Amino acid sequence: MRELLALADPGEVVTRNQIADLIKRTLAETDVLPSVEVVRRKVRTRQDLAQEVTVGRWLEEFLTRKRKIEESTRRSYEGHIQLYLTPYLGRIRLDQLKVGDVAGMFEQIEEFNDVIAERRASADRVVRASVKYRRPVSMATMHSIRATLRHALNVAIRQDRLIDFNPAAVLEMPAKTRPRPLVWTRERVEEWHQDFRAYRSAEKARRGGRRVDPIDAYIRVRRPSAVMVWTPEQTRLFLEESGRHPLFALYRLITLRGLRRGEACGLRWKDIDLDTGAASISWQLVQLAGRIHEGRPKTDASMRTIALDAETIAILRAHQRRQREEQLAAGEAWKGTGFVFTQADGDRLHPQHVSDQFLWLAYLAGLPPIRLHDLRHGAASLMLAAGVEIKVVQETLGHTSSAFTADTYTSVFPQVAMAAAEKTAALLLGDDEGRGVLRQLRV
């Protein structure tokens, strides 16, 4: 007790009284004295000893301090804190947070994932409706939640010295598996169509013969992988179907050049040189909580210049002419945002509208479903199948590493793997190509 009271300088009467109050309160609640090290740290960092810093309170402080971050990052932090970290860990004292507490949070999240799966499979409509808008939390999301907590606790250690140990940093979690893209082969398409027809029939019977929304059924039927890629023939069918759509040029850019949705929506005319056939990707529109935010791409690799083929340039010129006609028709009501792809009055596009229209066009074309973002994966696969060097593919897509590009896409199309196999066999069989390779090796 004398050691605790001696932590305050003789002239700091307020601090000495706070330590005394802390001793009395802790003895009354736990029958033990406060930790000398904990009190010493609080005195050194000038914390109010009368108030206990809980995990929830610190997370609020952490959010307040994070001012100079991207809006999408802030939304991510807020979502993790409000939905998971505060409900599960908020009441725990910050300096008493243990690895087991964090592990217990993820165990409860996984248990609720099981509840969602069970209720979705229930025959009771009311039970199914109770989890209608709840999705299971993926392992990748759990890793993101842990990353938010780890960052917040690191700030508590480095800036305020509130704690000495970060339990989120040492917690062991299963590896987050990134779904590998799969191509829609004939066999997979046939199996999906059978499941699609069966789902629509079952859903129509469950609704008592009432109409089933085809797009809702279209996106709900399970796919072989979360990331699916169309074959070149399927991609050609989509472009033919979307050829008369106002957003055809946007979909073509994503299909051939692999732009992200936000990058395509945020493309400005001043960033495109139709004479040289180049477009600078330096802006994006991001949808957050139903609102549109303009901003720069998050990584340096995303800030890039892409080349445009002659047909795409011609399509963009035609799109530009139509937009000028719309501007003349709108008159003073035209909103001069400067974006390449706009609404009828020149205002910014809503990214979700672009995704919705894409799904409808894919459905009308009779194609198996993919996400709009999967067009980007398809662009990478098409470039590799066409023999484009991996470094060029990486720079076109805006990846930070060519290793990521190679690991993700080199085995998507059978043609890529087949070409590698043929070249390997040619080396041994001694045909003209193989003899050429052998001469190079000898040199």
Side-chain angles (χ1 to χ4, degrees):
M1 190 177 296
R2 291 193 184 94
E3 188 177 1
L4 285 166
L5 293 171
L7 293 175
D9 290 337
E12 295 181 338
V13 179
V14 174
T15 303
R16 188 178 178 85
N17 288 339
Q18 286 184 349
I19 294 175
D21 291 338
L22 179 63
I23 291 172
K24 289 190 293 182
R25 186 172 68 251
T26 306
L27 280 173
E29 294 174 355
T30 65
D31 288 332
V32 295
L33 288 169
S35 165
V36 174
E37 288 303 317
V38 170
V39 177
R40 178 182 289 112
R41 182 171 60 248
K42 289 184 175 182
V43 171
R44 187 175 63 246
T45 56
R46 299 188 180 279
Q47 297 178 48
D48 187 351
L49 300 181
Q51 294 184 354
E52 293 182 349
V53 180
T54 62
V55 173
R57 183 181 172 193
W58 171 248
L59 291 174
E60 290 179 4
E61 173 68 18
F62 165 74
L63 272 179
T64 302
R65 296 187 187 186
K66 303 299 289 186
R67 296 178 180 176
K68 297 181 179 180
I69 57 175
E70 291 285 340
E71 188 63 26
S72 58
T73 303
R74 176 175 297 281
R75 290 284 185 179
S76 178
Y77 286 160
E78 289 176 348
H80 295 159
I81 290 171
Q82 293 173 6
L83 296 176
Y84 307 104
L85 298 176
T86 297
Y88 289 109
L89 306 175
R91 297 180 181 178
I92 302 174
R93 262 178 46 187
L94 184 63
D95 58 357
Q96 293 184 351
L97 182 65
K98 299 180 177 61
V99 176
D101 299 322
V102 184
M105 173 185 68
F106 288 115
E107 289 174 1
Q108 292 179 70
I109 292 174
E110 289 179 342
E111 288 174 1
F112 191 66
N113 281 348
D114 295 337
V115 171
I116 294 174
E118 291 173 3
R119 292 184 179 179
R120 282 185 174 177
S122 174
D124 190 328
R125 180 175 59 85
V126 177
V127 173
R128 291 198 304 274
S130 67
V131 292
K132 182 176 181 179
Y133 299 106
R134 297 300 300 267
R135 293 190 302 173
V137 181
S138 67
M139 185 53 63
T141 300
M142 291 190 203
H143 276 266
S144 297
I145 295 168
R146 195 267 292 267
T148 298
L149 178 61
R150 182 176 62 229
H151 180 40
L153 296 180
N154 280 337
V155 172
I157 292 173
R158 292 194 301 266
Q159 295 185 8
D160 290 49
R161 293 176 290 178
L162 298 176
I163 53 176
D164 297 319
F165 170 70
N166 189 336
V170 299
L171 174 69
E172 294 186 2
M173 295 179 66
K176 56 178 178 180
T177 56
R178 186 175 65 250
R180 297 189 67 84
L182 291 179
V183 67
W184 272 117
T185 60
R186 181 181 303 174
E187 295 77 14
R188 288 170 181 155
V189 172
E190 290 177 354
E191 183 177 355
W192 180 86
H193 274 297
Q194 293 175 3
D195 293 341
F196 178 66
R197 288 190 293 268
Y199 176 84
R200 290 193 69 177
S201 298
E203 190 67 10
K204 189 173 183 178
R206 188 178 69 81
R207 295 178 176 219
R210 286 182 293 130
R211 177 181 176 275
V212 177
D213 184 350
I215 298 298
D216 183 66
Y218 184 68
I219 62 178
R220 281 181 177 272
V221 176
R222 188 180 183 90
R223 309 168 198 178
S225 171
V227 180
M228 297 301 298
V229 174
W230 284 330
T231 64
E233 179 60 30
Q234 291 164 344
T235 304
R236 193 176 303 113
L237 286 174
F238 168 76
L239 291 177
E240 290 176 359
E241 179 65 39
S242 60
R244 292 181 298 275
H245 194 278
L247 296 178
F248 170 60
L250 180 148
Y251 293 132
R252 182 180 173 88
L253 277 173
I254 298 177
T255 300
L256 295 183
R257 298 284 78 193
L259 272 65
R260 299 175 177 90
R261 182 180 72 172
E263 294 169 348
C265 292
L267 197 61
R268 299 173 186 267
W269 283 116
K270 66 180 182 180
D271 297 326
I272 298 181
D273 189 334
L274 294 177
D275 294 327
T276 61
S280 298
I281 309 302
S282 56
W283 205 257
Q284 65 174 346
L285 295 184
V286 181
Q287 175 186 331
L288 297 170
R291 300 178 62 186
I292 304 174
H293 297 267
E294 301 178 21
R296 299 286 185 180
K298 290 184 65 174
T299 65
D300 292 338
S302 298
M303 304 275 287
R304 62 199 188 277
T305 299
I306 60 172
L308 304 175
D309 62 281
E311 186 174 353
T312 298
I313 293 173
I315 291 171
L316 284 169
R317 289 189 188 277
H319 175 80
Q320 190 177 49
R321 287 193 295 270
R322 286 193 299 272
Q323 191 180 72
R324 287 171 178 168
E325 292 172 359
E326 292 176 345
Q327 181 177 358
L328 289 173
E332 294 182 358
W334 180 261
K335 298 179 180 178
T337 58
F339 288 110
V340 176
F341 306 107
T342 63
Q343 299 183 42
D345 62 352
D347 201 0
R348 303 174 302 182
L349 277 177
H350 197 296
Q352 187 58 47
H353 172 73
V354 177
S355 295
D356 293 342
Q357 291 296 297
F358 166 75
L359 285 173
W360 182 245
L361 289 168
Y363 174 76
L364 291 178
L367 294 167
I370 66 172
R371 304 169 304 164
L372 176 62
H373 191 73
D374 293 339
L375 278 184
R376 172 176 161 83
H377 299 309
S381 303
L382 286 170
M383 282 187 275
L384 290 170
V388 178
E389 293 184 4
I390 194 73
K391 183 65 176 177
V392 176
V393 178
Q394 173 220 330
E395 293 175 349
T396 302
L397 295 176
H399 287 161
T400 56
S401 166
S402 58
F404 172 83
T405 309
D407 179 60
T408 305
Y409 298 113
T410 49
S411 62
V412 175
F413 280 159
Q415 297 93 316
V416 178
M418 184 62 69
E422 291 293 346
K423 289 181 179 179
T424 303
L427 182 63
L428 295 178
L429 293 175
D431 60 12
D432 292 340
E433 184 179 358
R435 283 192 290 271
V437 174
L438 286 173
R439 282 195 296 273
Q440 291 179 2
L441 289 174
R442 283 195 294 269
V443 172

